[in-house]
Amino acid sequence: MQLTYKHSRKTLWIGLAGTLVVIVGSILFGYAQTQKKEAEVMNPTKPVPSDAELQRKLTKDQYHVTREGGTETAFHNAYWDNHEPGIYVDVITGEPLFSSLDKFNSGTGWPSFTKPISKDSVVEKRDSSFGMERTEARSKSSDSHLGHVFSDGPAPTGERFCMNSAALRFIPVAKLKEEGYGQYLSLFQSQQQKVGEQSQAKGP
């Protein structure tokens, strides 16, 4: 009887230890996969797909905008009226380009921002097409046409980055970590903290 009891306890401990190893292993594996995914998404040296591959991968509108310098229809595009918090990334490479914190209603029918997340991610070029003098905005990582930059934006920059939704992919705050953009959560946490502090200062 005593032998059976000791044997049962030993079996129980072995079972618990085995379960613990599986749980810890699963957690570490999940973390490693997340890190790997983030590294893949955020890898600045990741090669841009070939033109043939992009024609297969992108929609007709996405290809026309990013590779042929096209402009989508105002008020009939994915993000012109999107008010959800999150970031907008390059539809081809996934490079972070704009934040909803800098998005504003320009009344133009295209998503507009006061500035990019990083000046280094957006290249500005002179555009003299269609008999107009404009400043074109292109993604540095994929050399995609994004839209144009105008000097009629609100404070503090006075600029309006008028972008094509077709050149962007939106990632909501709730999915930033899952999609490999966890480092950008701090942007929104800081904003929430400021809002909370302002509410407390005003009082009831």
Side-chain angles (χ1 to χ4, degrees):
M1 183 75 177
Q2 189 177 2
L3 183 64
T4 304
Y5 175 70
K6 287 182 178 179
H7 180 71
S8 297
R9 283 189 64 186
K10 185 177 180 182
T11 304
L12 178 63
W13 281 111
I14 291 173
L16 287 173
T19 302
L20 186 61
V21 168
V22 171
I23 292 172
V24 173
S26 298
I27 292 172
L28 290 175
F29 178 75
Y31 177 76
Q33 289 297 102
T34 300
Q35 293 295 100
K36 182 181 178 183
K37 185 175 183 179
E38 185 162 347
E40 288 176 351
V41 172
M42 301 302 294
N43 183 4
T45 61
K46 187 177 180 180
V48 176
S50 66
D51 192 65
E53 190 176 344
L54 287 175
Q55 283 185 309
R56 291 194 302 269
K57 177 183 176 183
L58 302 176
T59 66
K60 186 177 179 180
D61 284 344
Q62 288 173 335
Y63 184 84
H64 177 56
V65 167
T66 59
R67 284 300 181 251
E68 298 174 339
T71 300
E72 63 195 0
T73 307
F75 301 103
H76 290 84
N77 54 81
Y79 306 129
W80 77 271
D81 198 31
N82 181 34
H83 302 291
E84 193 175 352
I87 65 173
Y88 296 80
V89 304
D90 186 320
V91 72
I92 293 175
T93 64
E95 181 181 21
L97 298 175
F98 298 95
S99 164
S100 62
L101 298 173
D102 304 309
K103 191 172 186 286
F104 68 98
N105 182 11
S106 64
T108 61
W110 290 286
S112 299
F113 307 86
T114 56
K115 62 184 176 67
I117 290 177
S118 170
K119 275 284 188 181
D120 294 334
S121 62
V122 177
V123 178
E124 297 181 18
K125 295 184 176 181
R126 181 185 176 190
D127 179 6
S128 302
S129 61
F130 303 105
M132 295 182 284
E133 283 295 329
R134 297 179 294 175
T135 300
E136 180 190 16
R138 301 186 72 88
S139 170
K140 184 177 180 180
S141 62
S142 65
D143 192 32
S144 294
H145 171 72
L146 301 174
H148 290 88
V149 188
F150 301 95
S151 57
D152 58 1
T157 66
E159 291 185 310
R160 172 168 61 93
F161 284 78
C162 188
M163 303 292 100
N164 288 281
S165 294
L168 309 171
R169 182 169 77 90
F170 177 69
I171 303 174
V173 169
K175 290 191 175 182
L176 286 178
K177 192 171 183 180
E178 176 189 331
E179 294 270 353
Y181 298 90
Q183 69 189 83
Y184 293 93
L185 280 169
S186 60
L187 293 175
F188 301 93
Q189 290 165 351
S190 299
Q191 180 67 14
Q192 289 171 352
Q193 186 177 357
K194 286 179 183 177
V195 171
E197 290 172 354
Q198 288 172 355
S199 297
Q200 288 178 357
K202 290 179 181 178

